[in-house]
C-alpha cells in the first residue's frame, strides 16, 4: 500500500458500516477519507470514513446526497491513489445519482411498483442500472484514473457481480435482458414516467468497451452463512443437509414444496433421519395483491403453516432475512411449529384470510411468533431452517 498517495473508501449497503470499521482497524491512518451510505439505523461510529444514512428499499434525498458525495470523492482520486469500494445488498437504493431529466419521485414510483409486482432483484437492478449515474459500472468510470478494489457481500443468487447493488464498479459489456421487456412483463410499461421510458429506449443495446483498473471480490455470501449454521446444528446433535443456497420463486409455492420435504422426513421417507436439520438459502418473491403488512419470509412461513395444519408430529420451521428486515417491517421473519395452527385457531385467526391479504406480519404478531433481531449490519439473502425432532 505504500506506493499509493491516498486511500479512499466509498460504497454502500446494509452491511457497509462494519466493513468500513474493519478497514479502519486494518489500515488506520493510511485511510485518507471516504463515505459510505447505509440504511437508517445501520451506522457505526467511524474515525476516518463518513457515514450517511439513507432510504431503503426506496431511495430518498439522502440517497442522492450520498451518491453525489461518493462521486465527488471518486473524481478527486488520482492515478497514484487507491479507492476501496465496499458493496453490500441495499446499495442500489442507498447511493444514487440520476440523469438530469429524471426526478427522485420518478425513481421512487418505479421502485415501489417493481418491488410489489413480483419481479426478482436481478430484474429490478437491470432496470435501475440504466437509470443511474453510479450503477452498472458508472462509478468505476468516474474513478477511472485510480486503482479500484471492490469488496462485496453478495445478496443475490449466484453472486453475479454486475447485479449486487447494481454493480457500481462492474463494467457492463452488454445488458443481459431488455429493461423495457422487463417493464412490459410486469405490465408496468404504461405506468412509469415518459422520461424513464425515453432513457430506456435510448440505452437499449448500448455497452462500454473501455476497461478500467478494477478488481471485484466477493468476500461473503449465503453459502458461507449456511455452512456456519450447519456447523452449529451438527454440534447440537442434528443430522444436517444444506439443500440449496439458490432457492427462488414465489414464496407461497416454495412453502408448499418445503412442506412436502418436512412431511417426508417426519414419515421417514427420506434418507435423512430425525433429529434432522434442513438448511436452505436464497431469495423468494411476493406479488402483492392485498393491503396488509409483511415480507417474503413471513409470507412463506404463513403459507407453510397452512400446508402443515394437519401435521401433529413435532417440527419447527423459520425463514429470516439476514439483514434483520423482512419487507417494510421491523421483523426479520417468523417461525412456526406443530402447535402453531392450533394456537392460531384458538385465537380465532384465519390464516388463509391473512395470507390472501398479504398480512403475515399482523398474523404472527398476534401469534407472538415474529423473529426480531434488529439491524444485523449484514445482508446475504435469506436463511430457511426445517427442524424435525426424533419421534
Amino acid at each position: 500500500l505504500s506506493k499509493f498517495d491516498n486511500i479512499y473508501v466509498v460504497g454502500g449497503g446494509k452491511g457497509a458500516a462494519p466493513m468500513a470499521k474493519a478497514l479502519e482497524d486494518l489500515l488506520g491512518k493510511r485511510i485518507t477519507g471516504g463515505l459510505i451510505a447505509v440504511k437508517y439505523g445501520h451506522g457505526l461510529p467511524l474515525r476516518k470514513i463518513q457515514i450517511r444514512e439513507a432510504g431503503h428499499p426506496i431511495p430518498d434525498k439522502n440517497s442522492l446526497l450520498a451518491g453525489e458525495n461518493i462521486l465527488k470523492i471518486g473524481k478527486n482520486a488520482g492515478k497514484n491513489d487507491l479507492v476501496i469500494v465496499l458493496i453490500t445488498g441495499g446499495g442500489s437504493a442507498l447511493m444514487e445519482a440520476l440523469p438530469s431529466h429524471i426526478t427522485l419521485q420518478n425513481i421512487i414510483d418505479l421502485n415501489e411498483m417493481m418491488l410489489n409486482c413480483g419481479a426478482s432483484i436481478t430484474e429490478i437492478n437491470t432496470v435501475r442500472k440504466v437509470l443511474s449515474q453510479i450503477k452498472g459500472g458508472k462509478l468505476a468510470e468516474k474513478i477511472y484514473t485510480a486503482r479500484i478494489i471492490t469488496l462485496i457481500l453478495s445478496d443475490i443468487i449466484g453472486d453475479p457481480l454486475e447485479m449486487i447493488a447494481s454493480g457500481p464498479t462492474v463494467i457492463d459489456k452488454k445488458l443481459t435482458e431488455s429493461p423495457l421487456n422487463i417493464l412490459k412483463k410486469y405490465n408496468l410499461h404504461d405506468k412509469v414516467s415518459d422520461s424513464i421510458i425515453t432513457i430506456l429506449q435510448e440505452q437499449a443495446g448500448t455497452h462500454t468497451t473501455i476497461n478500467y483498473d478494477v478488481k471485484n471480490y466477493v468476500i461473503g455470501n449465503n453459502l458461507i452463512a449456511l455452512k456456519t449454521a450447519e456447523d452449529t446444528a451438527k454440534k447440537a446433535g442434528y443430522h444436517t443437509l444444506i439443500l440449496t443456497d439458490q432457492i427462488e420463486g414465489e414464496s407461497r409455492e416454495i412453502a408448499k414444496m418445503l412442506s412436502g420435504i418436512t412431511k417426508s422426513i417426519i414419515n421417514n421417507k427420506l434418507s435423512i433421519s430425525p433429529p434432522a436439520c434442513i438448511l436452505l438459502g436464497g431469495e423468494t418473491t411476493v406479488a402483492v395483491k392485498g393491503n396488509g403488512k409483511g415480507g417474503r419470509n413471513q409470507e412463506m412461513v404463513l403459507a407453510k403453516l397452512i400446508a402443515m395444519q394437519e401435521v401433529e408430529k413435532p417440527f419447527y420451521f423459520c425463514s429470516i432475512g439476514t439483514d434483520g428486515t423482512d419487507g417494510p417491517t421491523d421483523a426479520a421473519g417468523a417461525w412456526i411449529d406443530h402447535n402453531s395452527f392450533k394456537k392460531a385457531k384458538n385465537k380465532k385467526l384465519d390464516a388463509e384470510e391473512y395470507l390472501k391479504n398479504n398480512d403475515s406480519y399482523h398474523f404472527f404478531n398476534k401469534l407472538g411468533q415474529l423473529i426480531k433481531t434488529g439491524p444485523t449490519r449484514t445482508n446475504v439473502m435469506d436463511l430457511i431452517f426445517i427442524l424435525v425432532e426424533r419421534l
Side-chain angles (χ1 to χ4, degrees):
L1 298 176
S2 59
K3 67 180 181 180
F4 296 109
D5 294 337
N6 298 288
I7 299 175
Y8 299 102
V9 180
V10 298
K14 299 175 190 175
M19 295 173 77
K21 185 177 184 304
L23 270 182
E24 286 194 340
D25 292 342
L26 287 166
L27 302 183
K29 294 180 180 179
R30 287 293 288 116
I31 295 177
T32 304
L35 183 142
I36 59 168
V38 300
K39 184 177 177 178
Y40 292 111
H42 286 58
L44 288 173
L46 299 175
R47 301 183 300 276
K48 304 281 285 188
I49 304 165
Q50 297 179 55
I51 283 187
R52 180 172 290 279
E53 296 189 346
H56 181 278
I58 306 299
D60 62 8
K61 291 181 180 178
N62 281 332
S63 304
L64 298 184
L65 288 171
E68 178 184 343
N69 290 332
I70 287 170
L71 288 178
K72 188 179 296 185
I73 293 169
K75 289 176 181 177
N76 288 336
K79 64 180 181 178
N80 295 322
D81 296 336
L82 170 66
V83 179
I84 300 176
V85 183
L86 305 178
I87 294 298
T88 79
S92 290
L94 295 167
M95 51 179 183
E96 184 59 284
L98 301 174
S100 58
H101 46 294
I102 290 185
T103 68
L104 176 59
Q105 191 59 51
N106 291 154
I107 293 298
I108 289 173
D109 293 342
L110 173 69
N111 275 271
E112 288 179 340
M113 285 187 281
M114 294 207 72
L115 288 168
N116 289 327
C117 73
S120 70
I121 188 63
T122 297
E123 291 172 321
I124 293 171
N125 285 353
T126 296
V127 176
R128 289 197 284 201
K129 283 195 294 183
V130 180
L131 304 170
S132 174
Q133 298 300 305
I134 286 183
K135 301 172 176 60
K138 298 188 184 84
L139 177 59
E141 291 180 16
K142 306 297 191 300
I143 304 175
Y144 72 96
T145 57
R147 173 77 62 85
I148 307 167
I149 293 178
T150 304
L151 306 177
I152 302 166
L153 289 184
S154 172
D155 71 326
I156 298 183
I157 290 169
D159 306 335
L161 297 177
E162 72 278 5
M163 287 297 168
I164 303 165
S166 301
T169 60
V170 181
I171 308 302
D172 268 346
K173 298 296 183 183
K174 187 176 181 181
L175 289 175
T176 56
E177 188 174 3
S178 164
L180 286 170
N181 287 344
I182 292 171
L183 293 183
K184 291 174 183 176
K185 175 181 177 181
Y186 294 100
N187 298 314
L188 300 179
H189 186 274
D190 297 329
K191 298 177 182 178
V192 302
S193 69
D194 292 340
S195 55
I196 285 178
I197 296 298
T198 298
I199 287 185
L200 294 181
Q201 289 173 335
E202 290 174 349
Q203 297 296 319
T206 62
H207 62 277
T208 182
T209 57
I210 303 173
N211 291 311
Y212 302 106
D213 192 0
V214 183
K215 301 293 184 193
N216 293 287
Y217 300 99
V218 173
I219 61 170
N221 60 14
N222 187 263
L223 185 58
I224 292 173
L226 285 171
K227 287 182 176 178
T228 304
E230 182 186 37
D231 289 342
T232 302
K234 284 180 177 178
K235 290 175 183 176
Y238 286 92
H239 303 128
T240 64
L241 173 65
I242 295 178
L243 196 58
T244 180
D245 65 333
Q246 300 192 31
I247 198 162
E248 59 183 325
E250 174 65 34
S251 287
R252 300 184 191 190
E253 296 304 315
I254 298 299
K256 293 177 185 177
M257 182 268 291
L258 297 180
S259 297
I261 291 174
T262 308
K263 292 173 183 177
S264 293
I265 297 172
I266 290 173
N267 296 321
N268 294 314
K269 292 183 178 179
L270 292 181
S271 57
I272 185 169
S273 59
C277 175
I278 305 293
L279 306 99
L280 307 94
E283 188 167 292
T284 60
T285 57
V286 175
V288 179
K289 296 178 181 178
N291 56 10
K293 183 178 181 181
R296 60 181 179 264
N297 291 283
Q298 295 161 70
E299 178 126 341
M300 183 193 297
V301 179
L302 181 53
K304 168 126 180 174
L305 175 65
I306 294 169
M308 297 289 292
Q309 60 183 285
E310 304 295 337
V311 177
E312 296 182 352
K313 294 180 180 179
F315 74 90
Y316 172 91
F317 177 77
C318 74
S319 185
I320 56 174
T322 54
D323 59 355
T325 304
D326 183 34
T329 76
D330 60 352
W335 65 272
I336 57 170
D337 63 14
H338 57 290
N339 294 313
S340 298
F341 193 84
K342 187 182 294 183
K343 183 178 174 182
K345 200 171 180 180
N346 290 338
K347 289 180 174 287
K348 297 182 178 179
L349 299 176
D350 188 330
E352 293 192 7
E353 281 300 312
Y354 277 90
L355 184 62
K356 184 178 179 181
N357 196 35
N358 299 113
D359 201 17
S360 53
Y361 178 88
H362 290 118
F363 178 88
F364 286 114
N365 192 43
K366 292 176 180 178
L367 208 59
Q369 294 182 196
L370 288 169
I371 297 174
K372 295 186 179 183
T373 64
T376 63
R377 296 179 176 85
T378 188
N379 186 15
V380 288
M381 296 190 287
D382 301 334
L383 297 178
I384 303 164
F385 305 114
I386 302 170
L387 302 181
V388 177
E389 302 298 337
R390 182 176 283 112
L391 303 179

